[in-house]
Amino acid sequence: MNPKALHFIRNRPVSTIALAITFMTIIYVFFFPDSQTKHQNKFGSSVRPRKAQKPIPRDLPGNHIQRFQMNNVKASAQAAQNKEKVLILTPLARFYDEYWANLVALSYPHSAIELGFIVPRTKEGDIALASLDKAIKLTQSSADKFAKITILRQDNTDTLESQSEQDRHDLKVQKQRRSAMAVARNSLVFTTISHDTSWVLWLDSDIIESPATLLQDMTLHNKDIIVANCFQRYIDDQGVESTRAYDFNSWQESEIGLELAASLPEEEIIVEGYNEMATYRALMAYMNNPNEDKHIEVPLDGVGGTALLVKAEVHRDGAMFPPFSFYHLIETEGFAKMAKRLGYQPYGLPNYLVYHYNE
């Protein structure tokens, strides 16, 4: 051995011992890996092997974790008999006594009905909310009360503050107004829908006449999306009460409508029922025949929201009300388009009528 190296070893005994320990550790790690994992953690310190732990139960009181079997939620033609939960949703800018009376008169089990409202933060909205509060207190103090009632307030209400029906339906305000309505509808449904909701009924607050069997009649069809026909009672020039079509948002697409859409900039929308945008679509409003069965169904490409029944799974799958141009459609008509893209076919009931308030 080199004398200098021997001199180094003799004078550095600690270094020699450390080198030997390091060499032995390397051999131990590489040739006895199982023993290493049992007795050392990743930092090299000694640990005791862990005992197998029992799974923590998730359904004990106070655990804050709930488990729901979503596959057990059914929406069927026997909704009333099965007491399938229905969520009735209403964007409420004005309160009508007749609208509330129709809700209370529904023959569907009230214990299976939840209500949801979104009210604008406007002077008119405050008045509507005060009337709604009174009606709720009276109804919910009775034996036949609704299972749950939720009220939201909407802040983006600039376009919903019009005082007249004519202003609200002016073509130039439709995109902005209906965009705000779409935001309100989305906020309402995704705030109030529950794990056990089977059906969602969109019912406008100015629907002042609807059958007590509305829910049974519409769920009977067992469609993913189905909409009633909305008419309006009025007094004609001879002083005779008559009826006329009101909602033109339920329709079947036409070639002219598709050509019109293809010619528009991406952000522009088509609004049905205006001479300035003639689409020549087949409107459900004009398919009504009082002499035919009220349960006749027709497939649709666009739907209105005055009395629109939707299986909850359609909303859960992501179908919402676009507040932007979606294939040149917006709000309820955009919802129908989105639902179709998801594989759901909307239907309409041309002979099943609800009636809109006539200002």
Side-chain angles (χ1 to χ4, degrees), residues 21-316:
I21 292 173
T22 301
F23 181 71
M24 292 175 64
T25 301
I26 293 173
I27 294 175
Y28 180 73
V29 169
F30 279 94
F31 288 93
F32 303 98
D34 292 340
S35 176
Q36 173 71 8
T37 56
K38 286 180 182 178
H39 299 287
Q40 291 186 340
N41 61 18
K42 64 179 180 180
F43 299 107
S45 59
S46 298
V47 294
R48 294 180 180 178
R50 285 187 177 181
K51 294 181 180 180
Q53 294 183 348
K54 295 181 180 180
I56 300 173
R58 302 298 186 187
D59 53 356
L60 294 179
N63 267 349
H64 305 292
I65 298 176
Q66 298 182 59
R67 306 169 79 176
F68 302 110
Q69 291 294 334
M70 300 297 291
N71 290 335
N72 295 336
V73 180
K74 303 297 182 184
S76 69
Q78 293 77 39
Q81 297 91 313
N82 298 335
K83 294 187 177 180
E84 295 166 3
K85 183 179 288 187
V86 178
L87 177 62
I88 301 179
L89 299 179
T90 299
L92 187 111
R94 296 170 181 80
F95 181 86
Y96 295 97
D97 291 328
E98 299 92 334
Y99 158 83
W100 188 260
N102 290 334
L103 282 183
V104 174
L106 287 172
S107 57
Y108 197 93
H110 286 194
S111 59
I113 297 177
E114 293 186 357
L115 306 179
F117 302 91
I118 187 164
V119 185
R121 290 188 184 275
T122 61
K123 190 176 296 184
E124 194 173 38
D126 291 342
I127 295 172
L129 181 59
S131 298
L132 177 62
D133 280 339
K134 289 181 182 178
I136 288 174
K137 288 177 182 177
L138 181 62
T139 300
Q140 294 301 91
S141 63
S142 69
D144 194 22
K145 62 184 180 180
F146 296 106
K148 181 181 178 182
I149 299 177
T150 303
I151 302 175
L152 308 181
R153 298 303 302 269
Q154 182 188 10
D155 290 321
N156 57 331
T157 56
D158 294 342
T159 58
L160 303 180
E161 209 168 353
S162 295
Q163 297 298 311
S164 71
E165 184 176 354
Q166 182 177 357
D167 289 341
R168 294 197 306 275
H169 291 284
D170 194 318
L171 177 60
K172 65 177 180 290
V173 303
Q174 287 309 297
K175 184 175 182 180
Q176 189 179 7
R177 177 179 178 272
R178 295 192 66 184
S179 177
M181 283 297 300
V183 170
R185 290 185 187 277
N186 292 333
S187 299
L188 186 54
V189 66
F190 292 120
T191 299
T192 57
I193 195 169
S194 181
H195 67 278
D196 55 353
T197 303
S198 295
W199 302 89
V200 177
L201 174 68
W202 292 95
L203 188 66
D204 278 0
S205 64
D206 36 22
I207 297 301
I208 59 169
E209 189 177 336
S210 57
T213 55
L214 178 67
L215 289 172
Q216 292 94 319
D217 293 341
M218 295 187 75
T219 56
L220 179 65
H221 292 264
N222 200 23
K223 299 297 184 185
D224 296 320
I225 304 167
I226 196 162
V227 62
N229 210 351
C230 183
F231 270 46
Q232 188 178 57
R233 298 191 189 276
Y234 73 103
I235 305 299
D236 64 20
D237 296 336
Q238 284 72 43
V240 178
E241 184 178 87
S242 187
T243 63
R244 59 191 171 199
Y246 181 84
D247 188 358
F248 299 103
N249 294 335
S250 298
W251 42 262
Q252 295 171 337
E253 189 59 275
S254 67
E255 287 298 323
I256 294 176
L258 292 173
E259 292 171 4
L260 175 61
S263 70
L264 293 175
E266 184 178 352
E267 71 278 3
E268 290 300 313
I269 64 169
I270 297 175
V271 184
E272 196 53 61
Y274 293 86
N275 293 331
E276 299 92 326
M277 296 187 122
T279 62
Y280 297 94
R281 291 165 171 162
L283 305 181
M284 188 176 76
Y286 297 139
M287 298 179 191
N288 173 253
N289 186 337
N291 297 320
E292 292 182 345
D293 184 1
K294 68 178 182 179
H295 287 288
I296 287 177
E297 305 168 356
V298 294
L300 297 174
D301 298 300
V303 297
T306 51
L308 173 67
L309 184 70
V310 182
K311 285 188 177 182
E313 68 180 52
V314 178
H315 284 308
R316 290 194 187 98

Side-chain angles (χ1 to χ4, degrees), residues 322-354:
F324 48 82
S325 175
F326 184 76
Y327 293 88
H328 304 286
L329 301 172
I330 199 169
E331 204 217 346
T332 58
E333 292 159 292
F335 164 75
K337 183 70 173 182
M338 190 175 292
K340 290 193 72 171
R341 299 280 297 178
L342 289 168
Y344 298 103
Q345 173 61 55
Y347 287 86
L349 300 172
N351 301 325
Y352 192 90
L353 302 181
V354 296

